[in-house]
Structure formats: C-alpha cells, structure tokens
Amino acid sequence: MIGWFLLLLLALGAILILWRMGFPGKLGTFALAALVFGAAGYAWQGSPGLKGDPVSAQKEIVPVDPVLIDLRNKMFGELTSARGYLIASDAMMSKGDSEKAVIWLIGGVRKDPADASLWTWLGFTMAQHDGMITPPAQMAFDKALALWPDHPGPPFFMGLALIRANDFVGARRWWAKALELTPEDATYRDEIGQRLMLLDRLLTQAGVDPRTGAAAPALEGGSAPEPPTSAR
C-alpha cells in the first residue's frame, strides 16, 4: 500500500504544480493523461502492494575444498560424534553463511566440550568468517591444542588459518609441529609433508629462512625477491 500512497502523493503534487503555473486546459489534460498511463504501467509492471524493504547484500559463497575436507576426515576420523556438526558447518559455508556455521559449531562445543576436533574447526571457521585469527578464534585453537597436545590436527589447521591470513612464517612453525606429531604410518603424513615443503620453497624464494623466519642474506649481485602477498 505504501507504493500506491506515494503514487497518489506524486499525482496530487503534479496537479497542484500545473494549477499554480496556470497551464492551459488542453496541456493540463495531456499531463494528467501521462500520469494515468504512468500509474497503469506501475500497477502492471511493479508491485505497489508490497512494502519497500531494503535489498540485502548477496552472501559471499565460499567453495568447500573437498581435498581439505578429506584431509580433515583422515585426521579426525569419520565415525565420531562431531561429524554431524562438521558436515552441517560445511553445508552452511558452501551457501555463504559463515555466521551460521560458527553458531552451529559453538553448539557443538557446548554439547561436547572435550572434543578437540570441534574446537579446531570452530577456530578455523571463525578465522574464515573474520578474515583473520581473532581472539575468539585463537581461544578455540588454544582449547583444541590443550585437549589434544599430541594430535597433528589442531596445529595443522592453526597453520592453515595463518596461511589464509598471509602469515607464512607463523604458519611454517605450526605445520612443522603438525608433521612432527604425525605418525610415520599415517595415511595423511605425505600430504602434510608436501604442503610444508611447498611453504618452505615459497619462503625461500621470498628471501626468508624457513626455519628461523629471518630474512636470508641477499644473493650476490642482487637483492632477495619480495615476499608473496597471498597464498591459497
């Protein structure tokens, strides 16, 4: 009804302006006919009976990496009580609703506060939602690390969150720890090792010593290359 009300006000305003300007009768009739046709078109093409709600911004869709999900399942197991929460959070992230994914995982840690896989994924999802490791995300990671100090999952995903926040030096320390904690016969050990090797190569190319995080000496005849600005 708001649309019709605004249209009526517009028409009355136009009639008043025409009258005050002393329009001749024929021209006034023509102007009123134009208003009538405009109103008819609005009624046909528009939706004057609907209220004018603001259009919300489209949610950003974040594709869920199946390789990463497979690695997570290998680390944490698939037949666990946390699996339902993890799958639900994946579905919400794939729809671009990272806020609901975080809320869902918070419900998971409240129900099972001793499950470090839930705390780990909560921290990782929070970091994705905020674009950085905020204090709440860090708290979730710290909880996971305290619960499972000998498990490679929490340090690996902590490192991955740092990678996505462009902290490659900090990520290297956590990935090295994750590889150290991974059993020799683990099916995912090579995946962690390959990622760490690629990260070391990236840091070396950027002129950074992977083990110390310090800038490597400049090569003779030139300077070290600029560090990378992003990573996937």
Side-chain angles (χ1 to χ4, degrees):
M1 297 303 295
I2 293 178
W4 284 118
F5 179 71
L6 292 176
L7 183 62
L8 179 60
L9 286 180
L10 179 62
L12 291 176
I15 293 171
L16 179 60
I17 291 173
L18 292 174
W19 177 71
R20 292 291 298 272
M21 293 178 65
F23 257 59
K26 291 184 179 181
L27 290 179
T29 303
F30 178 80
L32 289 177
L35 284 173
V36 170
F37 278 114
Y42 176 64
W44 179 41
Q45 297 282 355
S47 299
L50 298 180
K51 62 180 182 179
D53 289 336
V55 178
S56 58
Q58 186 177 3
K59 294 179 181 178
E60 180 182 0
I61 304 300
V62 181
V64 176
D65 185 355
V67 175
L68 183 62
I69 299 303
D70 181 64
L71 180 57
R72 181 193 69 190
N73 293 340
K74 290 177 182 177
M75 286 185 177
F76 296 141
E78 297 189 53
L79 301 177
T80 66
S81 60
R83 181 160 172 75
Y85 289 99
L86 298 178
I87 292 176
S89 71
D90 294 341
M92 293 170 188
M93 289 295 289
S94 67
K95 294 179 180 178
D97 203 337
S98 58
E99 184 176 357
K100 281 189 178 179
V102 169
I103 293 173
W104 190 266
L105 289 167
I106 289 175
V109 297
R110 284 177 176 173
K111 184 176 181 180
D112 192 357
D115 193 320
S117 67
L118 286 171
W119 284 106
T120 300
W121 209 246
L122 174 60
F124 185 69
T125 305
M126 282 181 168
Q128 282 189 287
H129 175 69
D130 296 321
M132 60 185 296
I133 300 181
T134 55
Q138 185 64 61
M139 185 193 72
F141 278 124
D142 290 343
K143 183 70 174 179
L145 292 164
L147 287 170
W148 289 356
D150 299 323
H151 196 288
F156 174 80
F157 287 107
M158 176 74 183
L160 184 56
L162 288 168
I163 285 282
R164 295 187 173 186
N166 293 333
D167 184 357
F168 303 104
V169 173
R172 201 273 172 192
R173 178 170 65 92
W174 288 107
W175 276 7
K177 182 177 179 63
L179 184 62
E180 179 185 344
L181 293 173
T182 302
E184 293 288 340
D185 59 348
T187 58
Y188 52 85
R189 181 178 174 84
D190 286 345
E191 294 183 62
I192 297 178
Q194 289 172 3
R195 289 171 186 258
L196 179 60
M197 180 183 66
L198 291 173
L199 178 59
D200 283 353
R201 185 181 302 172
L202 190 67
L203 289 171
T204 301
Q205 291 176 350
V208 177
D209 186 332
R211 297 187 178 276
T212 64
L219 299 176
E220 185 177 353
S223 59
E226 291 294 323
T229 56
S230 63
R232 294 183 184 273

